[in-house]
Amino acid sequence: AQKITQTQPGMFVQEKEAVTLDCTYDTSDPSYGLFWYKQPSSGEMIFLIYQGSYDQQNATEGRYSLNFQKARKSANLVISASQLGDSAMYFCAMREKRGGGFKTIFGAGTRLFVKA
Amino acid sequence: DTGVSQDPRHKITKRGQNVTFRCDPISEHNRLYWYRQTLGQGPEFLTYFQNEAQLEKSRLLSDRFSAERPKGSFSTLEIQRTEQGDSAMYLCASRNVTGTAYYEQYFGPGTRLTVT
């Protein structure tokens, strides 16, 4: 079963508009963490934002915010005021306790295209 | 500030050859992770180290793969008798499990392996 599901293989957004990238997850661990990473064409994974399962408020980092709906097990990334440089792959990831340690599992990603 | 570095950035090898990749984490980070990323997919966990101890290995890591972190600093990932299915991007990440922002993994630029 998929642990992290990103249902949008590709998304288009107009420059300066906001865009939401979807992510749903599945875990039985009550203490987990959710992440979003950006991967530009250069290949490096860039950390964007983190949400802990016990965090009461939605995480925000500059133009990035995480719409955390715990009951629905969703952790959508909202990018406000899109910029051309936001064009990249975006990965949702979850860290959960498995076995004796923690493991981070990534989704398949969403490719975002920002149009001028 | 030097981030995570990986060497080489690209490697082309013939099937059956052995290859070795190196990762230098951020100096104060005690955890080091190896991931594999194939085209169109998110990174898949391979193994991780806490200092010099290898704490977990994924089932993806067949007996042709071996990883070391001899002094708890840099790490090497060796693939013996390479197969075409080994072609992928190999990503290294590090983090510090103490202090602030302990949850964030910092990724290197990756080593792209092509097996011909």
Side-chain angles (χ1 to χ4, degrees):
Chain A
Q2 288 287 343
K3 286 275 188 175
I4 296 285
T5 303
Q6 295 181 251
T7 56
Q8 307 151 314
M11 287 282 287
F12 286 87
V13 65
Q14 195 68 38
E15 192 180 10
K16 300 179 186 177
E17 299 287 313
V19 63
T20 298
L21 306 184
D22 295 341
C23 174
T24 57
Y25 59 92
D26 183 29
T27 182
S28 55
D29 179 12
S31 179
Y32 55 90
L34 298 158
F35 304 76
W36 278 91
Y37 284 85
K38 172 183 178 181
Q39 188 176 42
S41 54
S42 58
E44 192 161 345
M45 298 282 283
I46 301 167
F47 167 78
L48 295 178
I49 197 166
Y50 168 81
Q51 179 89 40
S53 60
Y54 295 120
D55 293 344
Q56 296 293 316
Q57 294 191 322
N58 286 345
T60 59
E61 288 285 349
R63 294 186 300 111
Y64 305 107
S65 60
L66 201 151
N67 184 1
F68 182 44
Q69 298 188 41
K70 196 169 182 177
R72 293 185 178 184
K73 294 189 174 178
S74 77
N76 298 340
L77 177 71
V78 180
I79 306 174
S80 62
S82 297
Q83 302 171 356
L84 295 177
D86 293 336
S87 294
M89 282 291 287
Y90 288 81
F91 291 98
C92 179
M94 175 179 67
R95 176 176 296 144
E96 63 174 356
K97 194 164 187 179
R98 290 172 73 179
F102 290 87
K103 189 170 290 182
T104 301
I105 304 160
F106 287 79
T110 295
R111 183 168 293 281
L112 179 65
F113 299 91
V114 181
K115 299 182 290 184
Chain B
D1 172 36
T2 55
V4 179
S5 62
Q6 292 186 246
D7 184 67
R9 296 291 306 276
H10 303 273
K11 179 73 178 177
I12 300 174
T13 191
K14 291 186 177 179
R15 189 177 53 185
Q17 298 293 305
N18 298 344
V19 293
T20 300
F21 310 141
R22 176 178 169 127
C23 171
D24 286 87
I26 294 172
S27 58
E28 64 269 24
H29 286 186
N30 46 21
R31 288 247 174 118
L32 186 148
Y33 302 80
W34 284 100
Y35 292 87
R36 182 175 70 185
Q37 185 179 22
T38 52
L39 206 60
Q41 298 297 317
E44 296 172 291
F45 169 80
L46 292 178
T47 187
Y48 85 95
F49 293 83
Q50 170 86 13
N51 299 316
E52 66 275 8
Q54 187 174 19
L55 296 188
E56 189 172 350
K57 295 198 301 185
S58 162
R59 275 173 254 163
L60 292 173
L61 219 63
S62 75
D63 55 8
R64 296 186 298 106
F65 289 70
S66 62
E68 293 182 344
R69 194 182 183 198
K71 297 180 182 177
S73 55
F74 73 92
S75 175
T76 57
L77 178 69
E78 182 183 13
I79 309 175
Q80 296 182 327
R81 305 182 301 282
T82 52
E83 301 173 357
Q84 287 186 320
D86 298 332
S87 295
M89 175 79 87
Y90 290 84
L91 294 165
C92 176
S94 71
R95 74 182 182 111
N96 197 352
V97 296
T98 59
T100 59
Y102 65 91
Y103 45 77
E104 181 182 343
Q105 290 186 22
Y106 293 82
F107 281 82
T111 294
R112 183 168 295 284
L113 173 66
T114 303
V115 182
T116 61

